[in-house]
Amino acid sequence: MTVNPSRKHLVLLGAGRAHLQVLKGLARQRTGDMNVTLVAPHPYYIESAMLPGYVAGDYTLEDIRVPLDGLVEASGAGFAPAHVHSLDPVGRRVQLSTGDALPYDVLSIDTEPAVDRDETEALMPGARRNALFTRPLENFVQLWPQLQALARDRALQVAVIGSGLQGAELAMAAAHALAAPHGSRITLLAGDAPLLHDQPAALQRRVLARLRALNITVLQDHCASLDGRALQLASGASLVCDAPILAAGAGAPAWLRQSGVQADEAGEPVVNERLQSESHRQVFVVPPGAPAEVGAALDANLRTAIGGGAFRKAPADLSRLKVVSCGDGHAIAVWGPLGLEGREVWNWKDRRDRRQLAALFTP
């Protein structure tokens, strides 16, 4: 890896949506005062908003996974295909799985939410060996067709472990994809709190009704362990399960939590309105669930951090529109107390998602 030492070095960790917008900005307007290196474990971007559609069979893998090489080349950035082993924010250095120690002047982190498998195994013994993890996405999209193939041979008992919209969307997509030809059944293991208790009442009501229509069993319980044949639940009950799908527990990667960058009680980095770490101002972090518009602010602020100028305030996610994919070409859209659902909502969501994905890779 060659870096010109006479110019400042911007390192982008992760190929998230905001970083793609930064690369797109570089492709439009190169800057001569910095080197840029993108670090990502795979040379692809996977659109997570379209993942339930892929699971349901509405999309092929090529529809939701786009190679990075064209955008990286157009931006003039270097690409390091590697995992991050550790981050030293004091020494301004990133240790990579390749053995390289990558120095930086400014660092930006926009990585996929990660699941700590050691921690998960401690909470749910047997998960590492028996569960199908949805993170990282690159692994999941490769393994999902194998589960579909099993369902074509016999009926499966599938458990989706995860609360929130992600778990509900995945359960509905799996119910559609695995029903034929043998009638596989889906259970959503949603934890203690009522499912979608933190969502608008109109959305909660419609999603619960859709889950019932798809004959998905919702259990308010936790998985205590897995043995490949059944899940042992915290309540003491046992749930027969051929295929547990783990859609919970994703957050900041271990290397970031262990770096010394200031974090909150949940282990997530604390950032200011400019997306800078509160403890290390040369480190920028894109929070999970940040709105699509955050990429433009990040691009401007990284250039400011390198070359000087005024920082911009990153937009907060204030959208009241919630859109949920339900499988079988069906979707729900809710705006406050108002809601719509059906195939037309799915068609609108499909057009929007395809358009936004294409725009990320259009110079």
Side-chain angles (χ1 to χ4, degrees):
M1 186 181 305
T2 302
V3 175
N4 186 339
S6 66
R7 296 193 293 179
K8 291 187 176 180
H9 191 198
L10 168 63
V11 173
L12 308 175
L13 296 184
R17 176 184 287 264
H19 278 176
L20 298 189
Q21 291 174 291
V22 171
L23 294 174
K24 185 175 176 179
L26 289 169
R28 289 195 304 264
Q29 182 182 357
R30 296 279 187 96
T31 177
D33 59 353
M34 65 176 173
N35 296 299
V36 181
T37 302
L38 173 68
V39 179
H42 305 286
Y44 300 100
Y45 170 76
I46 296 177
E47 179 51 71
S48 60
M50 298 170 73
L51 182 70
Y54 168 72
V55 169
D58 298 311
Y59 299 123
T60 66
L61 182 54
E62 290 69 29
D63 289 328
I64 70 167
R65 188 178 73 170
V66 182
L68 297 171
D69 53 353
L71 183 58
V72 171
E73 182 178 355
S75 72
F79 179 62
H83 294 272
V84 177
H85 271 180
S86 63
L87 166 62
D88 176 6
V90 176
R92 299 193 184 189
R93 190 171 299 270
V94 180
Q95 187 67 42
L96 304 181
S97 58
T98 57
D100 291 318
L102 192 62
Y104 64 84
D105 294 287
V106 175
L107 179 72
S108 182
I109 302 171
D110 185 19
T111 56
E112 177 184 346
V115 176
D116 188 321
R117 299 203 177 199
D118 291 335
E119 185 177 293
T120 301
E121 181 66 20
L123 292 172
M124 291 182 281
R128 184 190 296 276
R129 179 174 182 177
N130 298 298
L132 174 57
F133 288 71
T134 57
R135 301 285 182 173
L137 293 179
E138 178 66 27
N139 291 359
F140 176 73
V141 298
Q142 299 291 344
L143 293 172
W144 173 250
Q146 297 180 28
L147 184 56
Q148 289 181 293
L150 288 175
R152 287 194 290 269
D153 291 335
R154 63 184 177 90
L156 299 178
Q157 298 292 330
V158 178
V160 176
I161 304 169
S163 59
L165 283 177
Q166 180 189 7
E169 280 190 299
L170 189 60
M172 290 186 286
H176 172 65
L178 305 180
H182 301 293
S184 295
R185 297 296 302 272
I186 311 296
T187 298
L188 177 58
L189 199 61
D192 293 328
L195 184 65
L196 306 183
H197 68 283
D198 56 345
Q199 298 295 328
L203 182 64
Q204 183 183 40
R205 182 174 62 254
R206 288 176 180 271
V207 171
L208 289 174
R210 191 63 185 168
L211 289 166
R212 287 193 295 271
L214 292 168
N215 295 316
I216 296 171
T217 302
V218 178
L219 296 181
Q220 302 295 161
D221 209 336
H222 289 276
C223 176
S225 64
L226 309 79
D227 65 7
R229 298 179 301 276
L231 308 184
Q232 300 304 315
L233 306 184
S235 63
S238 179
L239 176 67
V240 174
C241 180
D242 301 297
I245 302 174
L246 187 62
W255 55 262
L256 182 53
R257 289 189 279 113
Q258 296 164 4
S259 67
V261 169
Q262 184 179 341
D264 60 20
E265 292 182 357
E268 298 298 323
V270 178
V271 299
N272 61 23
E273 63 183 13
R274 299 182 294 272
L275 303 178
Q276 289 173 302
S277 164
E278 286 286 15
S279 58
H280 300 82
R281 294 303 172 91
Q282 78 281 5
V283 175
F284 291 73
V285 183
V286 179
E293 298 79 9
V294 80
L298 178 67
D299 183 25
N301 289 344
L302 293 176
R303 291 173 185 265
T304 296
I306 290 287
F311 286 102
R312 286 174 53 178
K313 180 179 178 181
D317 188 5
L318 301 177
S319 173
R320 298 177 62 199
L321 177 64
K322 306 287 185 179
V323 185
V324 178
S325 173
C326 304
D328 194 23
H330 188 104
I332 297 169
V334 166
W335 179 277
L338 305 176
L340 293 171
E341 64 179 289
R343 181 165 294 277
E344 286 306 313
V345 178
W346 161 258
N347 290 338
W348 172 82
K349 180 183 186 300
D350 174 50
R351 290 192 299 270
R352 182 197 65 170
D353 290 345
R354 289 181 185 271
R355 182 174 64 250
Q356 290 180 348
L357 180 59
L360 287 174
F361 293 88
T362 303

